[in-house]
């Protein structure tokens, strides 16, 4: 009974704080219908949590947020204002994760700031955040953001966009960010981020990952649902080849190895299909040459390139060896088989006593921050690799954010095609 009473008392105090914040807001200035709809209990509780349950600070922060929304005209944002950005897929909602949180992807190029103002970028960011909030379920309050920095060559230019985005989310969307991932940033970004992240409020939720670490991952191979992406993949049936594919040829090129070992270029590539032809010497005097060892034989020494089945080589032809004479083996030189090379230390069967004092109890090594970032990004890899489809993204927009395209009938909308899909 004591625990239930304590929980009920805490809930009652939370409701009283929410009502106190709303009363302070109404004393300062009356709220409009849209502002009252925005300032619900969940919204006020997020502002209270950020300000440490302080009613006055939460009310002041919420009032600044309402004034900022009015100055930016967020209630009048529509998709028609960002038709070019939507066609290119610069900022969009890719889908929802296992916890029903929307996943936002920003693929902004470095030249975007040259032709667009900072206010336009802010409006695009806010528009994407508002679309993500509209797609949330009632029990979901947070979203995930993926910043694709592979289009940037300058670390400082991307840093400006990242800091501006995180500041807007921290100031005017508190408690909304679950995680943020920076993917493939420029080389100097890590050094700049170390010096700046201490002054960023959302730095603990921001992680830097590299897509090269997931090249061998086969978690997302469902490209059949996207015909445009599937059509770009290589189709082996499109290439006709009558010959059988041998061990040293393919349907597109083949190896041809010269039988003269003293030639400068003992192998070359040809675009003709010679898969039915036998490559390499036909005699049994030496090993057969295949594409696996053709290059290694071309750079091997003349002794290694000679047939190894015949020990009685007889007199050598003049000019067989290179002009630089090889060093003769002296009698004082020791046999290579008797030389004992140092071996690497093998791991001991007994572990160090320090292993028992680690956090995991000595069961294994501690997980580094890089490994934690990789594990955290693994569930969102499929959203990063998923091809962008403007039609699917527009279907997630509700009026009035959808603009005029949301009024069009579904039959016409189904025939709509973005500029990125036409070419």
């Amino acid at each position: 009974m004591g625990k239930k009473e304590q929980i009920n008392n805490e809930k009652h105090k939370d409701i009283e704080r929410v009502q106190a914040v709303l009363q302070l807001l109404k004393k300062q200035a009356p709220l409009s219908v849209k502002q009252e709809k925005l300032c619900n209990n969940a919204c006020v509780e997020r502002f209270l949590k950020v300000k440490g349950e302080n009613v006055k600070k939460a009310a002041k922060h919420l009032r600044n947020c309402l004034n900022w929304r009015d100055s930016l005209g967020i209630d009048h944002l529509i998709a028609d204002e960002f038709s070019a950005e939507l066609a290119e897929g610069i900022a969009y909602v890719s889908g929802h994760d296992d916890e029903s949180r929307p996943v936002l992807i920003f693929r902004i190029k470095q030249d975007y700031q040259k032709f667009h103002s900072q206010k336009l970028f802010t409006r695009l960011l806010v528009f994407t955040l508002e679309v993500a909030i509209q797609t949330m379920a009632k029990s979901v309050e947070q979203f995930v953001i993926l910043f694709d920095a592979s289009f940037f060559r300058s670390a400082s230019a991307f840093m400006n966009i990242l800091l501006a985005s995180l500041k807007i989310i921290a100031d005017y969307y508190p408690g909304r960010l679950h995680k943020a991932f920076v993917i493939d940033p420029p080389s100097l970004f890590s050094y700049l981020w170390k010096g700046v992240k201490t002054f960023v409020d959302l730095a603990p939720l921001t992680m830097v990952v590299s897509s090269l670490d997931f090249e061998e991952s086969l978690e997302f191979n469902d490209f059949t649902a996207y015909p445009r992406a599937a059509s770009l993949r290589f189709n082996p049936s499109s290439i006709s080849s009558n010959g059988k594919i041998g061990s040293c040829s393919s349907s597109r090129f083949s190896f041809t190895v010269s039988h003269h070992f003293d030639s400068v270029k003992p192998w070359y590539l040809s675009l003709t299909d010679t898969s039915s032809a036998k490559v390499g010497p036909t005699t049994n005097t030496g090993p057969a040459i295949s594409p696996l060892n053709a290059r290694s034989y071309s750079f091997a020494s003349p002794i290694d390139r000679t047939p190894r089945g015949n020990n009685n080589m007889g007199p050598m032809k003049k000019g067989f060896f290179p002009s630089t004479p090889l060093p003769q083996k002296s009698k004082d030189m020791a046999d290579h088989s008797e030389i004992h090379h140092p071996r690497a230390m093998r791991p001991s069967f007994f572990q160090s006593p320090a292993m028992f004092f680690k956090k995991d109890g000595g069961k294994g090594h501690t997980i580094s921050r890089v490994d934690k970032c990789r594990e955290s990004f693994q569930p969102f890899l499929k959203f990063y690799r998923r091809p962008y489809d403007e039609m699917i993204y527009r279907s997630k927009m509700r009026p009035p954010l959808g603009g005029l395209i949301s009024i069009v009938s579904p039959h016409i909308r189904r025939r709509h095609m973005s500029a990125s899909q036409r070419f």
Side-chain angles (χ1 to χ4, degrees):
M1 295 296 294
K3 291 183 178 180
K4 291 183 178 180
E5 292 179 357
Q6 186 177 1
I7 293 174
N8 293 332
N9 293 333
E10 290 179 357
K11 290 183 178 179
H12 184 67
K13 290 181 180 179
D14 293 339
I15 295 174
E16 289 181 351
R17 294 192 192 96
V18 171
Q19 296 298 328
V21 172
L22 294 176
Q23 289 179 2
L24 287 177
L25 287 176
K26 293 178 181 179
K27 286 182 180 180
Q28 297 174 1
L31 301 177
S32 62
V33 178
K34 292 184 178 180
Q35 289 178 349
E36 289 182 356
K37 186 178 180 180
L38 178 66
C39 298
N40 51 16
N41 293 340
C43 177
V44 177
E45 286 177 358
R46 287 194 298 270
F47 279 86
L48 283 169
K49 186 177 180 180
V50 171
K51 294 300 179 181
E53 306 298 334
N54 192 317
V55 176
K56 293 184 178 180
K57 291 183 179 180
K60 183 179 179 181
H61 191 184
L62 186 54
R63 173 55 66 181
N64 294 335
C65 180
L66 295 176
N67 295 336
W68 173 79
R69 293 176 66 91
D70 292 339
S71 62
L72 198 62
I74 296 179
D75 297 333
H76 305 286
L77 287 175
I78 58 176
D80 301 335
E81 183 180 352
F82 313 101
S83 57
E85 287 80 359
L86 294 179
E88 296 180 6
I90 294 179
Y92 61 97
V93 180
S94 180
H96 295 75
D97 62 354
D98 298 336
E99 302 295 333
S100 299
R101 290 184 291 258
V103 180
L104 290 73
I105 297 181
F106 290 90
R107 288 194 170 100
I108 302 174
K109 299 181 180 179
Q110 185 171 344
D111 299 337
Y112 184 82
Q113 290 182 317
K114 296 181 180 179
F115 305 101
H116 303 81
S117 61
Q118 183 67 24
K119 184 177 180 180
L120 183 60
F121 167 73
T122 303
R123 292 176 66 85
L124 175 63
L125 172 66
V126 173
F127 173 80
T128 311
L129 296 177
E130 292 294 328
V131 173
I133 292 174
Q134 281 188 351
T135 60
M136 288 182 180
K138 293 183 179 180
S139 58
V140 180
E141 295 184 353
Q142 294 181 326
F143 47 74
V144 181
I145 299 182
L146 308 181
F147 292 98
D148 189 0
S150 60
F151 298 97
F152 279 81
R153 300 176 302 273
S154 174
S156 59
F158 176 73
M159 181 66 71
N160 294 334
I161 289 182
L162 179 64
L163 294 181
S165 304
L166 294 179
K167 181 173 177 55
I168 291 174
I169 297 172
D171 292 344
Y172 307 113
Y173 295 91
R176 287 290 193 181
L177 183 63
H178 175 66
K179 287 180 182 178
F181 295 94
V182 179
I183 307 169
D184 296 336
S187 57
L188 297 178
F189 174 80
S190 58
Y191 301 99
L192 298 178
W193 180 246
K194 287 181 180 179
V196 174
K197 66 180 182 180
T198 54
F199 306 99
V200 181
D201 296 335
L202 299 179
L205 303 177
T206 307
M207 303 179 182
V208 182
V209 295
S210 175
S211 62
L212 298 178
D213 299 335
F214 304 92
E215 280 189 346
E216 298 180 358
S217 177
L218 300 178
E219 293 291 334
F220 182 74
N221 285 330
D222 190 13
F223 288 98
T224 57
Y226 304 92
R228 179 174 179 267
S231 62
L232 296 178
R233 303 187 71 185
F234 174 69
N235 188 8
S237 61
S238 61
I239 298 178
S240 59
S241 177
N242 299 326
K244 298 181 179 180
I245 300 177
S247 61
C248 54
S249 63
S250 66
S251 59
R252 285 185 281 181
F253 62 88
S254 62
F255 278 94
T256 303
V257 184
S258 175
H259 303 304
H260 301 284
F261 293 120
D262 56 345
S263 61
V264 179
K265 186 178 180 182
W267 61 272
Y268 65 93
L269 292 176
S270 63
L271 298 179
T272 58
D273 188 4
T274 59
S275 56
S276 59
K278 185 178 181 181
V279 180
T282 56
T283 60
N284 296 327
T285 56
I289 300 176
S290 67
L292 298 177
N293 61 2
R295 185 173 177 84
S296 62
Y297 267 95
S298 64
F299 289 98
S301 61
I303 298 179
D304 292 334
R305 288 188 288 178
T306 54
R308 299 185 180 181
N310 186 10
N311 295 329
N312 300 325
M313 298 178 60
M316 294 293 179
K317 295 182 180 180
K318 185 177 181 181
F320 183 83
F321 291 99
S323 59
T324 305
L326 297 176
Q328 297 180 359
K329 183 177 180 181
S330 61
K331 297 182 180 180
D332 299 335
M333 185 179 297
D335 190 6
H336 291 283
S337 60
E338 298 179 358
I339 299 177
H340 300 281
H341 299 280
R343 295 182 178 180
M345 295 294 295
R346 294 184 179 181
S348 175
F349 176 78
F350 299 99
Q351 299 294 336
S352 173
M355 297 293 294
F356 298 96
F357 295 95
K358 289 187 176 182
K359 294 182 180 180
D360 54 356
K363 296 181 180 180
H365 63 279
T366 56
I367 301 177
S368 62
R369 179 174 176 82
V370 178
D371 296 335
K372 289 182 180 179
C373 295
R374 292 175 183 173
E375 293 179 0
S376 301
F377 181 68
Q378 187 69 32
F380 308 102
L381 179 62
K382 57 182 179 180
F383 300 100
Y384 175 72
R385 292 181 175 177
R386 181 177 297 171
Y388 170 71
D389 195 328
E390 182 183 355
M391 182 180 64
I392 296 177
Y393 177 46
R394 284 183 176 270
S395 64
K396 300 176 183 179
M397 303 178 188
R398 300 177 184 176
L401 292 177
L404 298 177
I405 199 68
S406 62
I407 306 174
V408 182
S409 62
H411 176 71
I412 301 177
R413 190 189 311 172
R414 203 178 299 118
R415 297 172 58 186
H416 174 72
M417 184 179 297
S418 63
S420 60
Q421 292 174 324
R422 294 193 191 107
F423 304 101

